[in-house]
Amino acid sequence: GVSRITYKSSSKKTASISSKGEVKIRGVGQTTITVTGILNSTGKKITKKYTLTVNPDRTVIESVRAVGDGRIKIYWKKDKKGDWHEVCYSRSRNFKGRARSFRVSKAHKVITLKDLVRNAKYYVRMRSCKVISGKIYCGEWSKTKSVTVK
């Protein structure tokens, strides 16, 4: 039996915690949740700490279209939590070997890739990233989309 349980979050911008221990995610970053209680049998104070890391949401690619002349256009849903998106494309389904990646500012919603090999199949994925106190937090890669270049 433990009584007088209290909860505390080290970063309220990342996550807040109620008096019942319910955690609410507020933003991207890392926080430490501290749980303190008193043992009924001895009156001894017990403290447990849990580290919680919150990454940006997974980016959703709406479509990838071949527009001719060795170009493709990538359309995605904007992510308000990230500072930028990382785009990765390759001719390999598992992105091994000649995969290329680059950053796109969060202001963009569409990007065109140029000088691609015509009649070749390309695979595209992307993720959202954010910097907090010098540390980079990246979300999961989106589902991979494929397109054949015209």
Side-chain angles (χ1 to χ4, degrees):
V2 179
S3 63
R4 288 190 273 167
I5 298 173
T6 58
Y7 305 93
K8 185 178 179 186
S9 173
S10 65
S11 173
K12 302 239 188 260
K13 288 184 178 180
T14 304
S16 62
I17 189 160
S18 72
S19 60
K20 295 179 182 179
E22 297 166 343
V23 177
K24 184 171 184 177
I25 304 300
R26 300 258 181 223
V28 176
Q30 191 170 33
T31 186
T32 302
I33 305 293
T34 305
V35 182
T36 306
I38 308 256
L39 279 176
N40 289 340
S41 58
T42 62
K44 184 179 176 184
K45 186 177 181 180
I46 299 175
T47 302
K48 289 278 188 180
K49 293 186 178 191
Y50 302 94
T51 302
L52 176 67
T53 302
V54 181
N55 291 318
D57 295 333
R58 175 183 268 183
T59 302
V60 176
I61 296 177
E62 291 178 334
S63 68
V64 179
R65 297 181 189 150
V67 291
D69 296 330
R71 298 179 299 141
I72 61 173
K73 280 194 175 187
I74 306 167
Y75 301 85
W76 67 89
K77 290 184 180 178
K78 279 190 176 184
D79 178 21
K80 295 177 184 175
K81 292 181 182 175
D83 291 336
W84 74 85
H85 288 87
E86 183 177 358
V87 178
C88 184
Y89 66 98
S90 175
R91 289 179 60 185
S92 170
R93 180 183 299 247
N94 56 10
F95 295 89
K96 302 243 183 205
R98 296 185 182 184
R100 306 268 192 259
S101 63
F102 58 93
R103 290 181 180 183
V104 178
S105 78
K106 73 176 189 176
H108 290 87
K109 192 177 160 187
V110 178
I111 190 152
T112 303
L113 301 180
K114 301 175 186 178
D115 302 325
L116 302 175
V117 177
R118 290 184 182 189
N119 298 320
K121 190 171 193 175
Y122 279 85
Y123 299 90
V124 179
R125 66 182 180 179
M126 60 191 312
R127 65 183 176 177
S128 182
C129 299
K130 184 170 183 74
V131 175
I132 297 175
S133 302
K135 186 171 179 184
I136 298 174
Y137 296 91
C138 291
E140 291 183 44
W141 287 107
S142 67
K143 291 183 180 180
T144 302
K145 297 277 188 169
S146 65
V147 64
T148 302
V149 179
K150 295 179 184 178

